[in-house]
Amino acid sequence: MAEHRQSRRRRYITWGVAGAAVLAGAGIAAQTSMAATTWPAQKTYTGRAFDTCTAPSLAAMKAWKSDGFYGAAAVYVGGKNRGCAQPNLTASWVKSVDAAGWKLIPLYVGAQPPCQTGTSPEKISAATAASLGATDAADAVAKAAALGMKAGSPVYLDMEPYDITNKACNDAVLTYVRSFTKTLRAKTYRAGYYGFSSSSAKAIATATNKTDLPGNLWYALWDKKYTTTTDWPWDPKLYTNHSRGHQYMVNSKETRGGYTITVDRDAWDAPVALVG
């Protein structure tokens, strides 16, 4: 898709843009300082996770938990570019799936790059990048908190593929991301980022200026390899200490406990929501 899970049409567009691995490169440190604030202890999950456009029903989630294949699920907590209705995603649902043993990965589909192919309800511009990043981050925190995801939880900003060689476009995106990250941290939420290894994730991992970039990186590289290490495209010293997610397979139609859901598969070794 040209957006992560915004529509099937856009998912197919993305295959032509972001299916390949990228060369390793220098990048940012896995975590930057969160000085002066007393942070809740991070909750980390290591194992298989899935993401799907609409949060499944509680019955489906309980059924899928029974075989233990997956231990975490990504949910789209908000963003103007979120592409699916979320009738199941309520504070009660979050509490119940947490009690059933699931770990949750909050994902926010924020503004998209100005040079990105396709249309988006909200796009970044050079003039609005900083203010929009702050506004969207505040909204992301409000949405996550309303679902019962407490301070100390991560929010993963979804950034879809774009031409990172377009300097003006890339600069606008990085300004937006830094503003989003800084605002999240000011509100005591951890910053994560979902992007493609050939473009949007590469822009973060290889940025020379490390200031206010997310401390957790979830990279889309559809090589069907369940790992966050052997296919890591960048400096192996980056994003260590439980700061990586890897979306390694997409559009996998699976039936578990009598419920069929089409999901993307993820290898996870990174923070998950604190629920309560």
Side-chain angles (χ1 to χ4, degrees):
M1 56 191 173
E3 262 75 1
H4 180 199
R5 272 286 183 183
Q6 289 188 26
S7 71
R8 287 187 180 277
R9 181 181 68 82
R10 300 186 113 173
R11 162 51 62 87
Y12 294 129
I13 291 171
T14 298
W15 277 97
V17 178
V22 299
L23 297 175
I28 71 168
Q31 301 286 351
T32 55
S33 173
M34 298 177 182
T37 302
T38 301
W39 282 76
Q42 176 173 294
K43 179 187 283 189
T44 301
Y45 167 73
T46 302
R48 283 186 175 85
F50 74 84
D51 58 274
T52 191
C53 196
T54 299
S57 69
L58 179 57
M61 291 295 287
K62 288 181 176 179
W64 270 49
K65 195 70 178 70
S66 61
D67 70 0
F69 185 79
Y70 294 109
V75 291
Y76 290 82
V77 299
K80 290 182 179 178
N81 288 313
R82 183 174 67 173
C84 289
Q86 301 292 341
N88 299 316
L89 188 55
T90 63
S92 175
W93 183 92
V94 167
K95 184 176 181 179
S96 295
V97 298
D98 178 74
W102 285 102
K103 307 299 186 294
L104 294 176
I105 302 163
L107 186 61
Y108 187 88
V109 192
Q112 295 299 303
C115 59
Q116 188 183 81
T117 303
T119 58
S120 298
E122 182 180 64
K123 279 199 171 186
I124 303 162
S125 72
T128 64
S131 60
L132 196 55
T135 300
D136 282 355
D139 181 59
V141 168
K143 295 291 197 302
L147 290 170
M149 299 175 180
K150 300 187 296 184
S153 297
V155 175
Y156 292 84
L157 175 64
D158 182 326
M159 191 65 65
E160 295 303 314
Y162 67 97
D163 179 8
I164 63 173
T165 67
N166 181 328
K167 186 177 185 301
C169 184
N170 196 53
D171 286 349
V173 170
L174 291 178
T175 296
Y176 172 84
V177 172
R178 289 189 173 100
S179 179
F180 190 96
T181 297
K182 187 175 181 179
T183 304
L184 280 186
R185 290 175 177 163
K187 295 177 179 294
T188 327
Y189 279 73
R190 291 178 163 88
Y193 183 92
Y194 167 90
F196 286 73
S197 64
S198 55
S199 61
S200 46
K202 182 180 180 180
I204 298 299
T206 62
T208 302
N209 181 355
K210 303 172 179 60
T211 305
D212 290 328
L213 291 180
N216 304 283
L217 186 58
W218 178 7
Y219 62 105
L221 176 56
W222 303 331
D223 57 5
K224 299 185 179 180
K225 295 179 180 178
Y226 170 61
T227 180
T228 60
T229 55
T230 59
D231 67 353
W232 176 252
W234 305 290
D235 185 336
K237 296 187 293 295
L238 297 177
Y239 293 98
T240 56
N241 193 28
H242 307 296
S243 296
R244 298 177 185 175
H246 172 205
Q247 186 184 66
Y248 66 92
M249 183 187 300
V250 293
N251 296 327
S252 176
K253 188 174 183 180
E254 303 177 18
T255 301
R256 301 179 183 280
Y259 290 84
T260 300
I261 309 172
T262 298
V263 302
D264 300 338
R265 289 188 177 189
D266 303 284
W268 203 258
D269 184 27
V272 293
L274 300 170
V275 175

